[in-house]
Amino acid sequence: MSKLNIVTIVGARPQFIKAAAVSRAVASHNNGTPAAPIVEKIVHTGQHYDENMSQVFFDQLDIPRPHLNLDIGSGTHGAQTGRTLEAIERVLLDDRPDWCLVYGDTNSTLAGALAAAKLHVPVAHVEAGLRSFNRLMPEEVNRVLTDHVSDLLFCPTDAAVTNLADEGIARGVCRVGDVMYDCALHYAAKAEAIEDEVLATLGLRPKGFFLATVHRAENTDDPERLRGIFAAFEQIATPQRPVVLPLHPRTRNRLEQEGLDAPDHVRCVEPVPYLEMVCLEKNAAVILTDSGGVQKEAYFYRVPCVTLRDETEWVETTRNGCNRLAGAEPARIVEAVAAAEGAQPEWLPMYGGGAASDEIIAMLLNTHKATCADGEGM
Ligand code: UD1
Ligand code: UDP
């Protein structure tokens, strides 16, 4: 079998974390099987570019340096996706990889999937099949379109497999578990080693604070929702139990435009690196978030979660009261936090066994082997 060439497309914070797990599985395959290596070229679209939204993850998680940064930057959906599509097409034309690997549901994901599909480069989608059933979300449009042009669809959950089946997609669907859970296990000891220091630096006690993140367009770009969420933070934050809010740059910009200051005892900090975030998540009394990744991590670390959205793709987290959907209305959020604190939910294992990345690599290799065998037979 010839070597397997993969072009991996990443561009936004959660994709760096997911790619860390899969790139580690690539390295582990190459160490064990040097005669049939996987050659992975990581292409960073440049969608996220601040040091604390990008480089810090490559450094801390030992992600191989990207072969290329397309430096696309920010823009409207059409402009950002269009520029990325054009730039990725050039890379794929030069490289002609066996697979184009895309992650999640960002504009970088869609651009990568579309560029590859049009060039007949097979597309593998990690985190396939997630649905919010809300087409107003840019991510939902990106997910649906990406899944429909993908050849291998790596699903983290049973619900994701069902969603794809409901859309008539069964071929190439593999339920592998969640690559973010692989990361949670792999980096657990490293996070634990810095936990005391992270809490001490911020003057926090274990379970003595709320952790919040907000960045979804539906919240940041709707002043009423943004004000509602901040009003809820104001009501729950006390000197004994502050709200710690690592601020996404999108949200920081919106707060400035709205002239919204952080209420008392709401501690806005810069986005934190992954290991620091894990420490904060594990030690929070309750996590309040509109992030997909943070909802899941709350579940991994068995911390009650209140989701600042009207629906979630991670439906299984809500079943046992581990995660509560609270939208953006202050009274509902405050009530959900109180309910979350009083509950003793059952945390069932739902995201695989921590080897999703190895399964993804094994599947890509098997498919490649079959393709090579077909080629030889012709
Ligand atoms: C994107 C994804 C979203 C994902 C999130 C992860 C899309 C449509 N959205 O949202 O699904 O959950 O990433 O964090 O792809 N900005 C900076 N510095 C940066 C990056 C962004 O200042 O390094 C600011 C810019 O003003 C930019 C805004 O944030 O316009 C939004 O960035 P963008 O990448 O378009 O979307 P996100 O909100 O980050
Ligand atoms: N994250 C981080 N620092 C932060 C906020 C989030 O390392 O300040 C991590 C978080 O632990 C999770 C991922 O970023 O692994 C989630 O990314 P984000 O919320 O930006 O996007 P989403 O998952 O909603 O697409």
Side-chain angles (χ1 to χ4, degrees), residues 14 47-50 74 77 106-107 139 215 248-250 253:
Q47 177 171 348
H48 285 174
Y49 43 84
D50 290 349
S74 306
H77 287 282
T106 71
N107 288 345
E139 292 86 356
H215 76 274
H248 191 288
R250 172 186 203 107
N253 293 342

Side-chain angles (χ1 to χ4, degrees), residues 13-14 17-18 48 52-53 57 105-106 180 213 215-216 246-248 270-275 277-278 281 289-294 297:
R13 173 168 67 186
I17 296 160
K18 293 165 199 171
H48 285 174
N52 59 19
M53 294 293 288
F57 297 96
D105 53 19
T106 71
M180 290 184 80
T213 77
H215 76 274
R216 292 275 164 201
L247 260 189
H248 191 288
E270 287 296 309
V272 296
Y274 176 77
L275 295 178
M277 187 65 181
V278 169
E281 287 172 339
T289 189
D290 60 8
S291 155
V294 176
E297 286 166 347

Side-chain angles (χ1 to χ4, degrees), residues 52-300:
N52 59 19
M53 294 293 288
S54 173
Q55 188 59 43
V56 75
F57 297 96
F58 285 84
D59 295 342
Q60 192 177 58
L61 307 183
D62 293 322
I63 306 168
R65 219 181 126 83
H67 284 75
L68 204 60
N69 190 320
L70 304 175
D71 281 327
I72 299 299
S74 306
T76 59
H77 287 282
Q80 190 181 50
T81 313
R83 286 200 303 266
T84 315
L85 175 70
E86 194 178 356
I88 294 176
E89 183 179 59
R90 276 195 295 272
V91 175
L92 296 177
L93 278 170
D94 279 352
D95 223 72
R96 285 278 164 198
D98 299 305
W99 283 94
C100 178
L101 188 60
V102 297
Y103 290 90
D105 53 19
T106 71
N107 288 345
S108 297
T109 316
L110 177 62
L114 262 185
K118 295 264 182 140
L119 292 173
H120 307 163
V121 171
V123 178
H125 185 201
V126 177
E127 231 177 54
L130 276 280
R131 295 290 182 271
S132 65
F133 302 102
N134 175 1
R135 291 275 174 113
L136 295 177
M137 288 179 75
E139 292 86 356
E140 183 75 354
V141 176
N142 292 341
R143 290 180 198 122
V144 171
L145 295 177
T146 299
D147 283 338
H148 281 260
V149 295
S150 290
D151 299 273
L152 277 177
L153 300 98
F154 296 117
C155 295
T157 59
D158 294 332
V161 175
T162 306
N163 291 337
L164 291 175
D166 290 347
E167 290 173 23
I169 306 177
R171 220 169 128 232
V173 174
C174 326
R175 196 321 197 169
V176 290
D178 196 305
V179 295
M180 290 184 80
Y181 187 53
D182 297 11
C183 282
L185 296 184
H186 183 81
Y187 295 106
K190 277 193 176 167
E192 208 177 323
I194 61 164
E195 196 167 293
D196 290 347
E197 192 191 328
V198 169
L199 295 185
T201 307
L202 288 167
L204 300 170
R205 287 178 300 110
K207 302 295 166 191
F209 64 98
F210 300 102
L211 176 67
T213 77
V214 183
H215 76 274
R216 292 275 164 201
E218 73 213 52
N219 286 330
T220 59
D221 297 7
D222 179 337
E224 203 182 318
R225 286 183 74 97
L226 194 58
R227 283 178 189 278
I229 289 169
F230 268 67
F233 291 169
E234 184 167 18
Q235 289 181 44
I236 61 169
T238 62
Q240 295 75 32
R241 281 209 303 180
V243 171
V244 177
L245 176 62
L247 260 189
H248 191 288
R250 172 186 203 107
T251 317
R252 186 175 288 282
N253 293 342
R254 288 294 175 183
L255 290 173
E256 277 167 21
Q257 281 163 15
E258 287 299 312
L260 245 178
D261 290 329
D264 285 348
H265 318 303
V266 175
R267 310 239 312 253
C268 295
V269 297
E270 287 296 309
V272 296
Y274 176 77
L275 295 178
E276 282 76 351
M277 187 65 181
V278 169
C279 296
L280 293 175
E281 287 172 339
K282 284 172 76 177
N283 284 285
V286 177
I287 293 176
L288 296 94
T289 189
D290 60 8
S291 155
V294 176
Q295 282 175 69
K296 257 186 307 174
E297 286 166 347
Y299 193 90
F300 301 158

